[in-house]
C-alpha cells in the first residue's frame, strides 16, 4: 500500500510534467525531465517511507539511479512509442492517445521499478537464525 501511495504521487509528478513539456521538448526529452523529477521524489519517499531504510546512502542512490534510470530513461520511452502504435487505431485524438500512452507506460514502469527496488536497491535481508545448542 505504501508503494502504491507513493506511486500515485510520483505518477502525478511525472505525467503532469510530461504533458506540460512534450509540446516544447518532444517526447524523449520531456520524458527525461518528467521522469527525473519523479525519480528524485521517489528515491526519498520510497527509501524512507516504503522500504523503511534507516537512512539514505550514496550506494542506494547510485543503485536507484541505475535501476530506475534504465526503466525510466530507456524502457519508458520505448513503451510510450509502443503504446502509441497500439493506440493509433483505437483513439483518434492525438493528445488523448499520447496521454494514455504515457500513463500506460508509467503503469508498466511501476512494476519494473518495484522489482528493482526490492531486489537491488533495498533488498530484504534475512536475519541469521541462532545456532542450535
Amino acid at each position: 500500500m505504501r508503494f502504491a501511495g507513493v506511486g500515485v504521487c510520483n505518477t502525478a509528478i511525472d505525467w503532469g510534467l510530461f504533458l506540460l513539456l512534450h509540446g516544447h521538448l518532444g517526447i524523449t526529452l520531456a520524458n527525461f525531465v518528467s521522469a527525473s523529477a519523479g525519480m528524485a521524489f521517489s528515491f526519498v519517499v520510497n527509501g524512507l517511507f516504503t522500504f523503511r531504510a534507516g537512512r539514505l546512502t550514496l550506494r542506494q542512490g547510485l543503485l536507484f539511479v541505475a535501476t530506475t534510470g534504465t526503466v525510466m530513461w530507456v524502457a519508458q520511452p520505448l513503451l510510450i512509442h509502443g503504446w502509441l502504435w497500439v493506440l493509433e487505431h483505437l483513439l483518434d485524438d492525438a493528445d488523448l492517445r499520447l496521454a494514455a500512452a504515457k500513463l500506460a507506460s508509467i503503469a508498466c514502469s511501476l512494476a519494473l521499478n518495484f522489482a528493482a527496488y526490492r531486489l537491488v536497491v533495498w533488498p530484504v535481508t534475512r536475519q541469521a537464525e541462532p545456532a542450535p545448542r
Side-chain angles (χ1 to χ4, degrees):
M1 286 307 281
R2 291 186 302 254
F3 186 76
V6 173
V8 168
C9 295
N10 184 55
T11 298
I13 292 167
D14 185 3
W15 195 43
L17 279 175
F18 177 80
L19 293 177
L20 287 172
L21 298 174
H22 84 275
H24 302 289
L25 303 178
I27 289 173
T28 302
L29 187 53
N31 187 73
F32 178 81
V33 172
S34 67
S36 297
M39 281 173 53
F41 171 83
S42 183
F43 174 67
V44 172
V45 179
N46 271 316
L48 297 176
F49 177 67
T50 304
F51 296 101
R52 299 181 190 240
R55 62 188 176 93
L56 300 177
T57 66
L58 178 60
R59 179 182 185 281
Q60 291 168 344
L62 293 173
L63 289 171
F64 185 90
V65 169
T67 57
T68 308
T70 300
V71 171
M72 303 305 280
W73 296 330
V74 178
Q76 196 173 88
L78 295 172
L79 287 164
I80 291 169
H81 287 287
W83 280 109
L84 285 171
W85 180 79
V86 168
L87 296 170
E88 185 175 352
H89 299 292
L90 299 174
L91 297 172
D92 291 333
D93 184 290
D95 289 335
L96 180 58
R97 190 169 50 243
L98 182 61
K102 174 64 175 178
L103 196 57
S105 72
I106 289 171
C108 295
S109 298
L110 287 173
L112 294 171
N113 280 332
F114 182 82
Y117 301 161
R118 177 51 72 206
L119 297 172
V120 178
V121 183
W122 295 289
V124 175
T125 56
R126 294 181 175 232
Q127 295 182 0
E129 294 183 26
R133 293 181 180 213

